[in-house]
Amino acid sequence: MSVKSQISVALSTGLTLALCSSSLWANSGDYDLATNDRNKTTKKMARDKGSDGAWMAVPIPFANPTLGAGLQAAVLYLHEQKEPGTPNATSGIGGMYADSKSYFLGVFHDDYWKSDRFRFSFLAGTGKLNLNYYGPGDIPLLEKHPLGYGIQVNGLYTKLLTRLPYTESWYGGFEYAGSQSTVSFDLGQIIDRLPVIDADVRTSGLGPVLSFDSRDDNYYPSNGQIFNAKYSINDEGLGSDFNFRMLKSDYRKYFTLIPKNVLALKAQIKAADGEIPFFIEPTLSMRGFDVARYRDNVTASMHAEWRYKFHDRWGAVAFAETGAVADNVDELSDGTHISSAGVGIRWQATKAKKINLGIDIAVSTDDQAVYIRAGEAF
């Protein structure tokens, strides 16, 4: 998992750090506020749509195959819109503790300036995650008997984008992700009386980001699309203990088929090359199994979700996902394949913002899981 994934997995069942991603940003567009009438009308529309800031403070129990069962708590502030029609800025702090003796505390902030000309994301966290290692690809022995390991991680992620000249929806910039971690394997799992091996590792990656975003809302998009492509370079010259490259790209499309019905589609690919540490290898971002279960040099997945609002603040979802992992792109068709499907319920936590709390139940070809989340899966 990447540094950002290490941080996000600790709270992936709920409320905070899952919000710290590019999915928080909405289409900006250009607005002509030259006349007083237009200005008053636009401001009124913004008020009607809920531009005021709002607090969310929620403690929630969770259970998933990655961390086990536990409790998470988060305080989010959904900022007041600085200008009518611009994206929602979000800040938050959250923590969690699981019966796997995993714990985490993190803070994040997403913001924008100059009528959404600049976009900024920041995420920092610290904690201890006790996870399972299934090996790359499909190893029968590790599939049935995964090795447990712990990772004590201090992580930092930041991203800065600017709107590209002569465009309304294209953005470019850079992101940085770094971590200082201690990875522990208890060899006693294999043979009694063998010691615990600890390794201190540092990752430090910097690279360009290209993004297109024309969604109508960044919390609950119902129309538009978003594309992201990121290329990260981890190198000793940047302070990393490893030399590797990572490419991540995803595309999401949203349709309003009929009133109160939204179809959301997503395609994603991740690829790594070089001496990549096992805990940063690409994994499948799907529901229904341990997020660390399927990993290799290349992962690809496709997702479809139907979202239905049956009440002003209540909704339901149904989804299907499929993915594959392989040593390289050419082998994806013959690699390990996994599919999952499920349903969920949504509740809009505040009238001011279209951000939902939800519960998803997912079943995959080899596991099942329950997720409690804030915001949509994608």
Side-chain angles (χ1 to χ4, degrees):
M1 291 175 287
S2 67
V3 174
K4 190 179 178 184
S5 296
Q6 292 172 19
I7 297 174
S8 296
V9 73
L11 295 169
S12 60
T13 53
L15 300 175
T16 35
L17 305 181
L19 295 176
C20 183
S21 67
S22 57
S23 64
L24 286 176
W25 298 112
N27 178 45
S28 60
D30 293 324
Y31 301 90
D32 179 10
L33 303 181
T35 67
N36 289 333
D37 288 342
R38 173 69 180 274
N39 195 21
K40 291 177 181 178
T41 301
T42 307
K43 287 183 177 179
K44 182 180 184 300
M45 291 174 62
R47 287 195 300 268
D48 292 343
K49 291 182 179 180
S51 63
D52 294 338
W55 286 95
M56 289 176 59
V58 188
I60 297 180
F62 68 86
N64 64 58
T66 303
L67 296 171
L71 180 69
Q72 59 194 352
V75 177
L76 304 179
Y77 183 65
L78 316 179
H79 293 262
E80 180 179 358
Q81 287 179 308
K82 298 176 183 177
E83 300 176 39
T86 52
N88 300 287
T90 313
S91 301
I93 180 171
M96 75 88 197
Y97 183 81
D99 60 2
S100 61
K101 296 184 180 179
S102 297
Y103 61 89
F104 199 82
L105 178 66
V107 297
F108 76 88
H109 178 66
D110 282 327
D111 211 339
Y112 68 94
W113 306 283
K114 300 293 184 180
S115 300
D116 196 27
R117 180 182 174 187
F118 299 102
R119 296 179 170 188
F120 173 74
S121 298
F122 170 83
L123 167 64
T126 183
K128 172 70 177 296
L129 307 178
N130 292 307
L131 307 170
N132 288 320
Y133 179 61
Y134 297 87
D138 188 7
I139 301 176
L141 179 61
L142 288 177
E143 179 182 351
K144 296 180 179 180
H145 305 284
L147 296 178
Y149 74 95
I151 179 167
Q152 180 81 43
V153 59
N154 298 306
L156 171 68
Y157 171 85
T158 187
K159 179 174 65 176
L160 179 63
L161 301 179
T162 182
R163 186 188 300 142
L164 300 182
Y166 308 108
T167 71
E168 293 185 358
S169 302
W170 283 99
Y171 291 82
F174 292 88
E175 71 173 16
Y176 172 81
S179 70
Q180 181 69 52
S181 306
T182 300
V183 181
S184 303
F185 268 98
D186 184 359
L187 298 183
Q189 301 172 83
I190 305 172
I191 301 176
D192 288 342
R193 300 182 182 179
L194 286 181
V196 175
I197 295 180
D198 293 331
D200 293 329
V201 295
R202 177 180 296 177
T203 64
S204 181
L206 178 68
V209 179
L210 180 66
S211 178
F212 175 87
D213 191 351
S214 65
R215 294 168 299 168
D216 58 350
D217 189 84
N218 55 336
Y219 288 152
Y220 189 82
S222 57
N223 283 291
Q225 56 192 325
I226 179 171
F227 165 79
N228 292 295
K230 309 175 183 181
Y231 185 72
S232 177
I233 300 172
N234 267 258
D235 190 90
E236 294 178 0
L238 296 172
S240 177
D241 293 334
F242 307 92
N243 294 301
F244 64 91
R245 309 291 183 263
M246 180 88 75
L247 172 66
K248 297 181 181 180
S249 182
D250 69 84
Y251 173 75
R252 286 166 274 170
K253 176 71 174 177
Y254 305 91
F255 308 85
T256 296
L257 304 176
I258 56 176
K260 299 183 179 181
N261 289 263
V262 174
L263 175 63
L265 303 175
K266 175 185 174 183
Q268 184 176 59
I269 187 166
K270 307 174 190 176
D273 180 61
E275 51 179 25
I276 183 168
F278 77 91
F279 56 88
I280 296 184
E281 289 174 329
T283 59
L284 285 175
S285 302
M286 293 170 53
R287 286 163 283 187
F289 51 84
D290 188 337
V291 70
R293 170 63 184 86
Y294 297 98
R295 64 170 77 237
D296 214 322
N297 289 330
V298 180
T299 68
S301 60
M302 298 182 68
H303 314 249
E305 184 168 283
W306 169 69
R307 300 167 182 171
Y308 171 58
K309 293 289 287 277
F310 59 82
H311 188 271
D312 287 345
R313 296 178 66 179
W314 286 94
V317 303
F319 55 88
E321 304 174 321
T322 185
V325 301
D327 184 59
N328 57 66
V329 174
D330 295 336
E331 297 178 1
L332 273 176
S333 60
D334 298 322
T336 301
H337 292 256
I338 183 74
S339 297
S340 66
V343 296
I345 194 77
R346 298 289 185 268
W347 176 64
Q348 188 173 324
T350 171
K351 292 182 179 179
K353 302 288 184 179
K354 292 182 180 180
I355 184 169
N356 291 325
L357 300 182
I359 300 176
D360 291 344
I361 300 174
V363 178
S364 68
T365 50
D366 62 0
D367 208 343
Q368 60 277 321
V370 177
Y371 302 86
I372 301 175
R373 66 172 63 255
E376 305 309 316
F378 58 90

